[in-house]
Each structure stands twice: as structure tokens, then as C-alpha cells.
Amino acid sequence: CRYISTIQGVKVMKSIRDLEARRDAILTEMGSIRAMRRGTINRQFLKVPQKGKEEPARRGPYYVLSRREGEKTVSRRLRSAEELQQAREDVAQYKRFVALCKEFERVTEKLCELERRTRESPKKNGGGHDRARPRSDAHSGESRARAGR
């Protein structure tokens, strides 16, 4: 960051500060999530046989919170309206957490790119002699020395 001295560099410096601020905000927002649950909420209907009728009666909906645990699906019935509402909020918070993780990844990658570009720019604008550049033998000092023998 401290190597920037051009007008364009000021824009990059501001972008770096903006990205760092966004990363901090993402981490703060992640830390504020107090409850979350992986999974989905499904409506379930049960077919119950009725006396004297061929067609079973459909009962429900019953709400179930389901998630994958390894190779298995784990489900838990949500028995009250309060439990259903809490599960909806928890699942929404989990989705928000995952979205924040993805955004954190993107912001960090962008920050990395800008910082690396910033470190490389002084070398390109002036003393880039420490970078290895292929040179042809015609221009090297070694070939001139051999020619002068």
C-alpha cells in the first residue's frame, strides 16, 4: 500500500481501504449471527386410511426440518408454529452466513490482487532490475566479452 505515488495509485489505495473495510464489516456481521441451522423446511402430508373408503385421507401439512449428515438425511418434525417460525429464521440466518462466507472469499481475493499489483507497480515504473527477464545473447555483456577476445 505504501508504494503508491501516482494518481491511479491513490484510487487503488482507496480501493484497498474500501475492501479492508468491507472485510471487517463482513466479519462483524458474521459474528452477530446468534443462531443458525443448516437444512430445509419441508411440508409433509400423511395418507391415513379411512373406514369404509378406498381413498386414504390426506393429513397435514406437517413441517419437517431436514439436512444431510454424511450419507444420511436427518429430519426433525416441527411441532408448533413457534418452532416452525424459529426454524425458518435459523435457516435464513444460515443462508445469510453462507452468502457472507462467499462474499468474504471474493473480497479477500480482490484485496490480494490489488495488494500484489501495488507491490509490483514500483518495479515496473522504475527499478525493475530485480525481476528476471530473458535476454538474448546479442545484448548480454557475456556475448560482448566473447566477441572482443
Side-chain angles (χ1 to χ4, degrees):
C1 295
R2 59 181 170 237
Y3 302 114
I4 301 172
S5 61
T6 64
I7 299 293
Q8 182 182 8
V10 173
K11 289 179 184 175
V12 172
M13 179 72 103
K14 185 177 184 297
S15 294
I16 288 173
R17 279 195 218 126
D18 290 346
L19 290 170
E20 287 171 339
R22 182 60 193 143
R23 269 176 41 116
D24 290 344
I26 290 168
L27 291 173
T28 300
E29 195 171 339
M30 288 170 125
S32 72
I33 296 173
R34 304 298 294 169
M36 66 178 170
R37 285 195 253 183
R38 290 182 300 119
T40 57
I41 297 171
N42 302 303
R43 289 184 342 161
Q44 193 177 62
F45 293 89
L46 300 177
K47 293 180 181 177
V48 180
Q50 293 180 338
K51 290 183 182 178
K53 295 186 178 177
E54 282 188 38
E55 286 294 314
R58 215 172 122 175
R59 305 285 173 143
Y62 300 102
Y63 292 91
V64 178
L65 176 65
S66 301
R67 71 178 184 283
R68 296 288 294 174
E69 290 288 336
E71 297 293 317
K72 296 183 178 182
T73 300
V74 177
S75 297
R76 188 171 77 79
R77 179 163 298 167
L78 304 170
R79 300 193 182 280
S80 68
E82 294 81 23
E83 216 177 344
L84 173 61
Q85 184 57 36
Q86 186 61 58
R88 283 181 174 149
E89 290 171 14
D90 292 349
V91 168
Q93 288 291 74
Y94 177 74
K95 288 178 181 179
R96 180 70 186 136
F97 177 79
V98 170
L100 287 167
C101 288
K102 289 177 183 178
E103 184 181 1
F104 185 84
E105 180 182 5
R106 285 190 302 270
V107 168
T108 302
E109 286 175 350
K110 184 67 175 167
L111 182 61
C112 179
E113 286 174 21
L114 284 174
E115 285 178 336
R116 287 186 181 159
R117 243 187 288 158
T118 312
R119 276 187 239 129
E120 292 172 2
S121 64
K123 295 176 184 177
K124 289 179 184 174
N125 293 337
H129 298 291
D130 59 331
R131 282 190 297 138
R133 277 189 290 180
R135 297 181 68 162
S136 67
D137 284 339
H139 298 292
S140 71
E142 186 180 314
S143 64
R144 281 186 293 228
R146 273 189 261 143
R149 287 190 216 170

